[in-house]
Amino acid sequence: MEKDPHPENGEDNDNVSSKSGDEQPAGSEEKEVVEGTISDPDLSLTQILDEVDRFLEALINAEDKSNPPSEVPKSVELLSEMVECMINNYANASKASEAKFGRDPEYDTSFMEALNRISKLSIELGEFPSSSALSSSLNRTSIVLQQAMSFLEEEFRHLLEETKSIVVEQKSHQKTWKQASFNYSHQESDRCIHPPELESNKEDEFPGFSQEAIYRMKKIATAMVLAGYENECCMVYSILRQTAFKGTLNKLGYEYISIDEIQRMQWESLEGEIALWINVVKQCYTNFFSKEKNLCDTIFSDYPLISQSLFTNLAHTVVLQLLNFAEAVVLTKRSAEKLFKILDMYETLRDLIPAIDELCRGDRAQGLTSEASETMTWLGEAAVSIFCDLENSIKSDNHGRTPVPSGAVHPLTRYVMNYIKYACEYKDTLKQVFQQHLMIDKPKNEQQIDVDDHGGDVSDDGSPKTTPFSEQLMTIMELLDANLDMKSKLYRDPALQNIFLMNNGRYILQKIKGSAEIHELMGDRWRRRRSSELRHYHKSYQRETWSKVLQCLSHEGLQTTSGSSHGKVSKIVLKERFKNFNAMFDEIYKTQSTWVVSDEQLQSELRVSISAVMIPAYRSFLGRFKQFLDPGRQAEKYIKYQPEDIETLIEELFDGNPTSMSRRRT
């Protein structure tokens, strides 16, 4: 593969032989480096390195470190000159804003070999007491080493920053927010030689870096750590990767918001910020963190402890900022509508914690997990508080003295049941937060009892086993029942009281039937008891409304001769019976056609049950006693309805329509 030339070497450095764009044999290139940079052009790079290696071996094997060598071979100075010249060659190779290292792999290899010896010389010479000969060489190699490290640090910085331009360049091509995150896509590398261990088809393995850039960074990081410049290397990496990570979150729309700003936010705005926060946290633990760790592990593959420390520090910084947002939300004024978003946040942190445990190691990782768990506990406590405050909402709604028109479903019933329905979609999470709340509030000896009591979901008899959450749910339902019973007393008509209780009872029952989560928590036994109560209200309604009407249709008291089934019928009593029936039915129709039964099934059941008792009774009464009224005007005066008319009018009851009387038969 063709290598990038260094076209400016010969133009900017008169002491350096220019390199042509064509590839040269390794020996020829090595000769050029030596001839152009050192005072003894007859020595090749290999010869210089061999002499330095022999000197290093002597230093390492010296038994008496207090007795320094009498002289330092000339090759040490030649090596220093060569490294200085190679750094200058890199500097003149391309623009100041671009990375130079890695454009010519063979040249890089020579540089790294020379730098390795310089680093070892600085270490080994420093083991001996200072002498005129050693001090000069030690100072010389230390200065050259520092120059080389400054160059590599800058190269490391350039390579780490190159991903920024890649992300911006591809931003317009993003299709979804997921792609816009780290821009984990393959970047084409120009004239790159990949080492065997990094050759891969995983194009989106690293966040915005090409395989070539990864290889270069790995070589630089290894060299800096070996030379004792671990802190400098790690600081550059940490600062730039944290900045890049922050930029990635910004591209998702997430920015830091202070606690004061969160406290002042309207709920509509805060709700949007919470949704964005949830998205960001999920992206972090499902996508960003794992790939960031992969990047770190690959660049610092020779130093796993350094890699783990760098990644853990980055994750710690990011997660703490995300936790600060969650804690600020907990501190906002609590209200019912916040419950569901707080539960969403709780579940998000619950999923984040295992990811932290898996990816991070060490005491700092354990501390981060503890902080996340603590924040999750605060969210759970806030959720418990908000849900329990539903009790106060029910209790505070008992002061109204105006009944709901027409006996319809009360707004409180709709609010509470819809709230419970949505809350029970978080059934498992609410069970967890209520159980945790119980563990916090109760002594340890009581905690063990509660754990044993709530160990399963089903009791021995097959009914749902109670949990702290289900107990709270039962309490709310009992409060709602008591509140509705009190509100029913606001109606003067006992029949309307029963209609009101039937309407609200049926609404509650239908909501529970329609929610598998509520049904599971409340159980069949509770549902059967509610159904029994509804039947009781139904019977009470019929007794209060239609029993007096049915008395008008009774055969008793119409015959003047007692003791005989064939006595004479009293027309006066008969006329009074028809007259009373008409008046009662008219009043019932006038009133109850304006009442509301919104549940179609309940409405139908009521009408059918009324017809079942009224139509046969009226038809029998009319058929038997109509003949005793004089035909003509007298009959029409007292017999206002035929059985079919009664049936039709019953079908118009509970429509909530005050104009129904206009259709009444007169």
Side-chain angles (χ1 to χ4, degrees):
M1 183 179 294
E2 184 183 359
K3 315 296 187 302
D4 279 354
H6 298 271
E8 299 178 3
N9 288 358
E11 299 174 10
D12 296 341
N13 192 341
D14 294 337
N15 296 323
V16 181
S17 299
S18 62
K19 292 168 67 70
S20 68
D22 298 330
E23 293 189 19
Q24 302 181 31
S28 173
E29 180 178 298
E30 177 183 299
K31 189 71 173 177
E32 276 196 24
V33 172
V34 174
E35 289 177 351
T37 60
I38 63 177
S39 55
D40 190 347
D42 293 331
L43 290 177
S44 68
L45 171 61
T46 301
Q47 291 172 319
I48 294 174
L49 295 179
D50 287 344
E51 286 191 16
V52 170
D53 286 341
R54 286 192 291 272
F55 180 59
L56 281 170
E57 185 177 2
L59 293 177
I60 294 171
N61 294 330
E63 296 181 357
D64 186 5
K65 295 292 184 181
S66 63
N67 184 22
S70 57
E71 62 178 356
V72 177
K74 185 179 180 181
S75 58
V76 172
E77 173 60 25
L78 295 178
L79 180 64
S80 298
E81 292 178 4
M82 183 180 69
V83 171
E84 280 185 327
C85 184
M86 296 182 81
I87 293 173
N88 290 332
N89 287 345
Y90 278 121
N92 296 327
S94 57
K95 298 178 182 179
S97 61
E98 296 178 353
K100 296 92 176 175
F101 183 83
R103 292 179 175 271
D104 188 332
E106 293 182 9
Y107 196 82
D108 297 336
T109 300
S110 298
F111 176 69
M112 284 299 183
E113 288 180 356
L115 184 59
N116 182 39
R117 270 60 169 203
I118 288 289
S119 175
K120 290 180 179 179
L121 284 169
S122 295
I123 294 172
E124 295 301 329
L125 290 174
E127 295 290 325
F128 292 89
S130 59
S131 65
S132 58
L134 286 187
S135 295
S136 175
S137 297
L138 177 60
N139 290 338
R140 175 71 168 136
T141 55
S142 297
I143 291 172
V144 172
L145 179 63
Q146 187 172 0
Q147 290 175 346
M149 290 299 108
S150 296
F151 162 71
L152 288 180
E153 180 179 332
E154 193 63 24
E155 289 294 289
F156 201 43
R157 184 187 306 276
H158 281 312
L159 288 167
L160 285 168
E161 288 177 338
E162 279 184 357
T163 185
K164 293 181 179 179
S165 60
I166 294 172
V167 171
V168 172
E169 178 184 349
Q170 292 201 351
K171 185 177 179 181
S172 60
H173 300 295
Q174 304 302 335
K175 299 295 184 181
T176 65
W177 57 264
K178 287 184 178 180
Q179 293 173 322
S181 56
F182 260 85
N183 194 22
Y184 294 125
S185 57
H186 177 62
Q187 310 302 327
E188 290 188 5
S189 56
D190 52 335
R191 304 185 180 114
C192 166
I193 297 179
H194 298 301
E197 66 271 19
L198 284 181
E199 289 185 357
S200 171
N201 291 325
K202 299 179 180 179
E203 297 184 346
D204 61 348
E205 190 174 3
F206 305 110
F209 293 103
S210 65
Q211 293 281 2
E212 179 187 13
I214 298 295
Y215 174 53
R216 294 181 189 180
M217 287 189 286
K218 178 183 177 182
K219 296 285 287 185
I220 292 174
T222 301
M224 292 185 72
V225 173
L226 282 174
Y229 282 71
E230 174 186 330
N231 290 339
E232 290 80 356
C233 178
C234 291
M235 182 175 294
V236 171
Y237 183 89
S238 180
I239 291 173
L240 291 181
R241 285 315 302 160
Q242 288 187 24
T243 300
F245 205 104
K246 180 181 178 182
T248 297
L249 301 188
N250 291 156
K251 283 182 171 62
L252 290 178
Y254 181 79
E255 295 183 359
Y256 173 76
I257 306 175
S258 69
I259 294 178
D260 290 339
E261 289 176 306
I262 292 173
Q263 297 294 316
R264 293 193 299 268
M265 273 188 180
Q266 296 294 321
W267 171 241
E268 291 76 12
S269 300
L270 182 56
E271 189 176 20
E273 293 296 334
I274 291 174
L276 180 59
W277 178 90
I278 290 170
N279 175 34
V280 166
V281 176
K282 288 183 177 179
Q283 284 296 301
C284 283
Y285 71 72
T286 61
N287 193 7
F288 298 163
F289 281 163
S290 60
K291 291 185 177 178
E292 190 67 39
K293 187 176 189 303
N294 188 34
L295 173 69
C296 196
D297 287 346
T298 304
I299 293 176
F300 295 91
S301 59
D302 295 332
Y303 306 98
L305 293 180
I306 294 177
S307 171
Q308 187 60 60
S309 175
L310 285 171
F311 172 75
T312 299
N313 290 341
L314 181 145
H316 190 271
T317 301
V318 173
V319 171
L320 278 188
Q321 182 176 331
L322 294 171
L323 294 181
N324 287 339
F325 176 87
E327 292 167 6
V329 171
V330 171
L331 295 176
T332 60
K333 184 178 179 180
R334 291 174 184 176
S335 56
E337 68 270 14
K338 294 182 180 180
L339 173 65
F340 309 111
K341 283 300 179 184
I342 286 178
L343 288 173
D344 287 337
M345 296 177 75
Y346 179 94
E347 292 176 347
T348 302
L349 288 186
R350 186 178 61 192
D351 294 336
L352 170 66
I353 291 173
I356 295 175
D357 289 336
E358 180 181 353
L359 295 172
C360 300
R361 296 289 185 274
D363 293 340
R364 198 168 191 189
Q366 293 177 355
L368 185 59
T369 299
S370 298
E371 291 191 53
S373 297
E374 185 177 6
T375 303
M376 189 177 75
T377 299
W378 292 350
L379 287 167
E381 287 295 294
V384 169
S385 175
I386 292 173
F387 190 82
C388 290
D389 196 52
L390 193 56
E391 287 185 35
N392 296 328
S393 298
I394 298 172
K395 292 175 181 177
S396 64
D397 196 70
N398 60 5
H399 302 299
R401 304 305 301 172
T402 303
V404 175
S406 306
V409 177
H410 198 280
L412 177 66
T413 305
R414 295 184 185 275
Y415 171 75
V416 171
M417 293 310 301
N418 282 320
Y419 196 81
I420 289 175
K421 177 180 181 294
Y422 290 125
C424 284
E425 291 179 5
Y426 296 85
K427 171 177 62 69
D428 294 335
T429 301
L430 282 168
K431 281 184 178 180
Q432 182 177 355
V433 299
F434 269 87
Q435 187 66 46
Q436 288 176 341
H437 175 73
L438 184 71
M439 303 289 278
I440 292 172
D441 282 357
K442 288 193 175 183
K444 288 187 177 180
N445 58 334
E446 294 184 33
Q447 289 178 15
Q448 185 59 45
I449 295 173
D450 287 318
V451 169
D452 294 339
D453 286 345
H454 302 304
D457 292 333
V458 180
S459 301
D460 294 337
D461 60 358
S463 62
K465 183 173 286 188
T466 59
T467 65
F469 173 57
S470 66
E471 289 173 357
Q472 179 63 30
L473 196 59
M474 290 288 188
T475 300
I476 289 174
M477 296 304 300
E478 289 171 1
L479 284 172
L480 180 60
D481 284 343
N483 188 287
L484 292 173
D485 186 68
M486 181 190 62
K487 283 178 167 51
S488 71
K489 302 299 191 293
L490 298 176
Y491 299 100
R492 295 181 180 178
D493 189 338
L496 186 53
Q497 292 179 9
N498 286 292
I499 290 293
F500 173 78
L501 292 172
M502 271 192 284
N503 271 324
N504 286 271
R506 176 59 70 98
Y507 184 86
I508 292 171
L509 193 59
Q510 292 301 103
K511 280 292 182 181
I512 292 174
K513 285 182 178 178
S515 170
E517 292 81 9
I518 306 180
H519 185 270
E520 178 184 335
L521 289 165
M522 305 303 289
D524 286 330
R525 183 180 300 174
W526 186 91
R527 183 180 60 81
R528 288 193 296 269
R529 180 168 59 84
R530 298 294 303 200
S531 298
S532 177
E533 290 174 358
L534 283 179
R535 289 192 295 271
H536 170 72
Y537 298 143
H538 191 155
K539 291 178 181 178
S540 296
Y541 160 76
Q542 284 195 313
R543 183 176 61 253
E544 293 291 342
T545 301
W546 299 102
S547 59
K548 293 180 181 179
V549 180
L550 288 173
Q551 288 177 6
C552 295
L553 303 179
S554 173
H555 296 187
E556 295 181 6
L558 287 176
Q559 296 173 328
T560 57
T561 303
S562 61
S564 173
S565 61
H566 303 288
K568 185 177 181 181
V569 173
S570 172
K571 290 186 178 182
I572 296 175
V573 177
L574 181 61
K575 290 176 182 179
E576 189 66 23
R577 291 282 186 89
F578 273 112
K579 183 179 178 180
N580 289 340
F581 174 83
N582 294 335
M584 287 184 181
F585 188 81
D586 284 350
E587 183 60 29
I588 291 172
Y589 177 81
K590 178 182 177 181
T591 302
Q592 298 194 13
S593 61
T594 65
W595 293 358
V596 173
V597 176
S598 53
D599 183 86
E600 292 183 359
Q601 182 179 350
L602 177 59
Q603 186 186 70
S604 175
E605 289 172 359
L606 283 168
R607 290 170 176 172
V608 168
S609 66
I610 295 168
S611 296
V613 297
M614 287 302 301
I615 301 303
Y618 185 71
R619 180 176 283 116
S620 173
F621 186 84
L622 184 63
R624 181 168 182 180
F625 297 108
K626 178 180 179 181
Q627 58 182 317
F628 295 103
L629 296 176
D630 296 334
R633 295 183 62 183
Q634 187 182 61
E636 292 179 359
K637 180 180 178 180
Y638 294 103
I639 304 175
K640 301 179 71 170
Y641 302 106
Q642 295 299 316
E644 294 77 13
D645 300 327
I646 298 294
E647 188 170 8
T648 299
L649 293 175
I650 288 173
E651 288 298 315
E652 295 178 1
L653 298 179
F654 317 119
D655 271 338
N657 185 3
T659 63
S660 295
M661 283 298 293
S662 64
R663 301 193 301 271
R664 191 187 124 191
R665 194 181 158 92
T666 58

